[in-house]
Amino acid sequence: MDYPLLRQIQSPEDLKQLAPEQLPSLCGEIRQLFLHTLSETGGHLASNLGAVELTVAIHRVFRSPEDAIIFDVGHQCYTHKLLTGRREQFSTLRKENGLSGFMRPEESIHDPIVTGHSSNSISAALGIAQGKRLSGQPGYAVAVVGDGAMTGGMIYEALNNAGRSKENLVVILNDNKMSISKNMGALARYLTVIRTRPSYYKFKKAVERMVRRLPLVGNSLYNSLRNSKFLLKNAIYHSNIFESFGFHYLGPVDGHDLNRLIPVLERAREEERPVLIHVSTVKGKGYHFAEKDPGAYHGVPAFDIETGSYAAGGPTFSDLFGQLLCERAQKDMRVCAITAAMTSGTGLSEFSRRFPERFFDVGIAEEHAVTFGAGLAQSGMRPVFAVYSSFLQRGYDQIIHDVAIQGLPLILAVDRAGIVGEDGETHQGLFDSAFLSAIPGITVYAPASFSDLRLAFDKAMAADSHPTVIRYPKGREPELPADYQTVDAPFVLYGDRQAECVLVTYGRLFSQACKARALLAEKGIPLAVLKLNRIKPLPAELPTELSGCGRVFFFEEGMQNGGVGEHLGAMLLEAGYTGQYVNIGIPDEFVRQSTVASALHKYKLDAASMAEIISKGE
């Protein structure tokens, strides 16, 4: 496809050379490129379609990289990538060695910080703004925040801190879903138009200077007029939380109307204090299917542009967990489900419809979700918090302080455990095994199959005096041997108990281990596979079970440092094991974006690599 305007833009400076009347056509080209590219690569569609005009306006007014522009989460930064010299690489989006789906400083000088998790942009922007002032650097810091991120507590910590400062900080609230303020009436909209005209701003400044210069009464009169203005504005706008924090509030403004949006941004540049601009946009703008159902088109695989359809695939671990939870809730009125703005992703959509009074979406607030669940458990309920592994990291202190110390029976359903693929470093679920293993009194199950998940769920529900974690991978059930059966035991050994060589693993890697066993059998190399069903606490019988083995190989889809493999190695050493112990896991680095299969092979966690390592005796 041809993109005549977009092809002219290699940097934000090129954007400034376009005539104002060309900008709507540019926005149309950007949306066409999104549809063409994401229909092949997948990615975050609806949020980026909704932020096209807003991003064009930001780069039209501000000067990146002198002005640091931060997109919270990064789900809405694709237009930013196109306007900052990455158009020719855009087809590599979310592919191995390609463009990230989020902001990444190593990718471009126009990306000030890494984004991937929500609600951190204002904190970072304030730090950048103050750093600029302290070091004598020019420029503004601009944080673009979606309304979903406004449910995260870190946002309000930053607003509270930033509002007291006098930094060149602009926060743009991209409101594409909920009504943050009640001031959407005709009068409020009219005042927004008037207050953002350059003539109004110049007149206002001139009056302020004149009043201040009046002998004796100047400052007092200015303060009186200023207070009266606030009283009138609050009466019209029904007060405003952002101005209570100390921000100068502008808005609401139509985020798709460049003629209104650009003057508001220009006005914000003229202020010498923190400003918050409230922008209203339509998620999925310009693509009928995404506008109609933005949730379904938030993050999509490859899809058909004409029909909007994409392959859903078979049932996933998330789907099964949601089903199990509904089955239990039907029988037990104490069962509650908690999510942190991930109802669909964690398989809780059906639960939310069937049991609305026992379903709690707390927003992007994992810390609150854990402690809220602790409160439910303390009151005799059976709460289950379903959360992505990478997002659970935010609730670590609460797991220790509010749950584990008190021995409360909160169930953590840790979804997306292990390598997740194309979303890259910020979303890999590789840390939970290590950080959960350090917490006393917690039990962690790692099912390898759907039947394992069902058993682990039953055991978690039966535990009423301590927290329980069930961690499972993204996607469908892996391929397993035809004779595979779930066994109710902390671990199961497949193969000869007297085998010289034993491969130990858990979770999804059990499928790879079985394939490695078959590959080695073809070479005449016998191998037993020990599958851990429970990884915390590790079964005390393991050293005895492995004492007769000359070689033990542990493979783990998690961090090697502090991981389950290290804990098993310590157990064997303490028990006096004298054989060879090899621990293979993710080394001391962050796993980049790629397919899951590619990452497993890179880190020697696929069947072929397992077989090669064992056959060589490494």
Side-chain angles (χ1 to χ4, degrees):
M1 298 184 69
D2 190 27
Y3 306 99
L5 293 175
L6 191 55
R7 281 193 288 105
Q8 298 178 36
I9 298 175
Q10 300 300 323
S11 73
E13 289 304 310
D14 296 329
L15 172 66
K16 292 177 172 62
Q17 305 307 312
L18 296 182
E21 58 270 20
Q22 292 178 297
L23 298 182
S25 296
L26 172 66
C27 293
E29 290 183 15
I30 290 172
R31 285 194 171 89
Q32 287 301 313
L33 180 58
F34 284 168
L35 291 174
H36 175 74
T37 303
L38 271 63
S39 66
E40 298 177 354
T41 67
H44 292 101
L45 180 62
S47 53
N48 281 289
L49 287 172
V52 175
E53 286 87 0
L54 175 58
T55 310
V56 167
I58 290 170
H59 278 292
R60 183 84 169 183
V61 173
F62 291 93
R63 298 185 293 269
S64 178
E66 178 180 299
D67 296 329
I69 302 171
I70 302 171
F71 289 83
D72 205 295
V73 184
H75 290 161
Q76 49 189 337
C77 73
Y78 290 3
T79 301
H80 168 76
K81 288 178 182 283
L82 294 177
L83 299 178
T84 53
R86 286 170 273 184
R87 179 184 58 81
E88 293 184 358
Q89 295 82 40
F90 199 68
S91 61
T92 69
L93 186 72
R94 303 175 75 246
K95 294 181 180 179
E96 190 167 2
N97 300 318
L99 291 182
S100 169
F102 305 99
M103 300 189 81
R104 183 187 287 166
E106 67 181 59
E107 186 177 290
S108 171
I109 60 173
H110 297 281
D111 292 1
I113 66 166
V114 169
T115 59
H117 290 188
S118 173
S119 311
N120 68 335
S121 61
I122 301 178
S123 298
L126 176 60
I128 289 173
Q130 292 189 328
K132 284 178 177 293
R133 176 176 57 81
L134 292 171
S135 59
Q137 299 178 49
Y140 286 73
V142 181
V144 184
V145 186
D147 55 9
M150 297 300 292
T151 63
M154 189 175 176
I155 282 284
Y156 298 95
E157 297 175 20
L159 287 171
N160 184 54
N161 188 206
R164 298 195 304 268
S165 73
K166 296 182 180 180
E167 306 300 340
N168 292 333
L169 172 66
V170 177
V171 175
I172 300 172
L173 170 56
N174 180 14
D175 182 359
N176 56 30
K177 184 178 180 182
M178 61 183 183
S179 178
I180 302 295
S181 305
K182 297 181 180 180
N183 55 349
M184 294 297 288
L187 179 58
R189 287 195 295 270
Y190 173 73
L191 289 178
T192 296
V193 172
I194 295 298
R195 291 167 65 226
T196 54
R197 286 177 179 169
S199 57
Y200 167 84
Y201 182 67
K202 291 177 181 178
F203 175 75
K204 175 175 173 287
K205 285 291 187 181
V207 170
E208 288 176 356
R209 287 194 298 269
M210 180 184 70
V211 170
R212 282 181 177 275
R213 290 172 182 170
L214 290 175
L216 301 177
V217 298
N219 286 333
S220 297
L221 180 58
Y222 171 79
N223 290 331
S224 296
L225 290 173
R226 187 168 179 266
N227 291 334
S228 298
K229 181 193 72 172
F230 283 155
L231 289 173
L232 175 61
K233 187 166 63 174
N234 285 342
I236 295 172
Y237 280 75
H238 309 294
S239 191
N240 186 295
I241 185 175
F242 305 114
E243 293 202 333
S244 297
F245 276 121
F247 280 77
H248 180 56
Y249 176 87
L250 296 173
V253 61
D254 184 347
H256 301 297
D257 187 339
L258 289 165
N259 292 327
R260 292 188 177 182
L261 188 56
I262 289 175
V264 174
L265 293 170
E266 290 173 339
R267 165 69 189 279
R269 271 193 68 92
E270 298 299 324
E271 293 286 340
E272 296 178 352
R273 54 172 168 158
V275 179
L276 186 137
I277 305 173
H278 184 176
V279 176
S280 299
T281 61
V282 176
K283 202 169 185 179
K285 179 74 172 178
Y287 185 53
H288 169 73
F289 300 106
E291 285 191 36
K292 184 178 180 180
D293 190 358
Y297 289 86
H298 171 68
V300 294
F303 64 96
D304 183 276
I305 296 176
E306 296 299 323
T307 65
S309 62
Y310 51 86
T316 66
F317 279 93
S318 305
D319 295 333
L320 176 60
F321 188 83
Q323 176 187 330
L324 295 174
L325 198 57
C326 286
E327 292 173 0
R328 183 58 65 107
Q330 186 68 39
K331 302 174 184 177
D332 189 343
M333 296 297 292
R334 300 175 303 159
V335 173
C336 301
I338 306 168
T339 181
M342 285 290 175
T343 302
S344 176
T346 56
L348 297 181
S349 296
E350 183 180 356
F351 190 103
S352 68
R353 290 190 294 268
R354 292 178 57 185
F355 311 101
E357 292 187 354
R358 287 182 278 156
F359 172 74
F360 305 97
D361 185 346
V362 301
I364 304 175
E366 291 82 4
E367 304 96 322
H368 165 61
V370 173
T371 304
F372 172 66
L376 285 171
Q378 184 67 49
S379 299
M381 305 303 288
R382 296 309 313 270
V384 178
F385 177 27
V387 58
Y388 289 6
S389 171
S390 60
F391 300 154
L392 182 63
Q393 294 160 190
R394 292 187 159 194
Y396 189 55
D397 176 64
Q398 289 72 24
I399 296 172
I400 295 173
H401 184 275
D402 301 329
V403 179
I405 288 177
Q406 302 178 74
L408 294 173
L410 173 66
I411 296 174
L412 297 173
V414 182
D415 204 325
R416 269 63 167 178
I419 295 168
V420 299
E422 291 81 359
D423 279 339
E425 301 98 320
T426 57
H427 284 61
Q428 308 288 9
L430 298 171
F431 299 94
D432 64 274
S433 291
F435 70 66
L436 291 170
S437 292
I439 303 176
I442 197 168
T443 299
V444 183
Y445 295 104
S449 67
F450 284 179
S451 57
D452 286 354
L453 176 58
R454 185 177 291 273
L455 177 61
F457 180 76
D458 290 340
K459 295 178 79 65
M461 279 293 173
D464 58 6
S465 61
H466 62 80
T468 305
V469 177
I470 309 171
R471 66 183 309 276
Y472 44 90
K474 178 182 179 180
R476 291 175 283 180
E477 183 179 42
E479 182 181 353
L480 295 167
D483 59 350
Y484 175 76
Q485 291 184 343
T486 292
V487 178
D488 185 4
F491 67 89
V492 182
L493 186 70
Y494 295 87
D496 187 359
R497 287 189 173 273
Q498 305 302 316
E500 168 67 14
C501 182
V502 176
L503 189 162
V504 185
T505 193
Y506 62 89
R508 175 167 57 185
L509 287 195
F510 174 67
S511 171
Q512 299 292 330
C514 291
K515 294 176 183 178
R517 182 171 177 241
L519 291 174
L520 290 172
E522 294 175 359
K523 299 180 179 181
I525 302 174
L527 175 70
V529 176
L530 191 150
K531 177 171 77 79
L532 294 171
N533 295 325
R534 189 186 74 204
I535 60 175
K536 172 65 170 68
L538 282 173
E541 318 92 275
L542 281 177
T544 301
E545 186 72 29
L546 297 171
S547 61
C549 306
R551 296 190 297 155
V552 176
F553 293 84
F554 192 96
F555 289 89
E556 179 169 15
E557 194 180 346
M559 300 306 294
Q560 190 176 57
N561 290 342
V564 179
E566 283 196 354
H567 289 285
L568 177 58
M571 287 179 68
L572 293 175
L573 182 64
E574 186 175 348
Y577 177 72
T578 58
Q580 179 189 21
Y581 182 71
V582 178
N583 181 21
I584 305 293
I586 303 298
D588 193 22
E589 64 185 56
F590 293 103
V591 176
R592 303 293 292 269
Q593 66 193 45
S594 71
T595 63
V596 172
S598 178
L600 290 177
H601 179 71
K602 176 181 178 180
Y603 292 101
K604 301 181 179 180
L605 297 174
D606 63 335
S609 300
M610 291 177 177
E612 181 180 5
I613 289 171
I614 292 170
S615 64
K616 291 181 178 179
E618 297 177 355

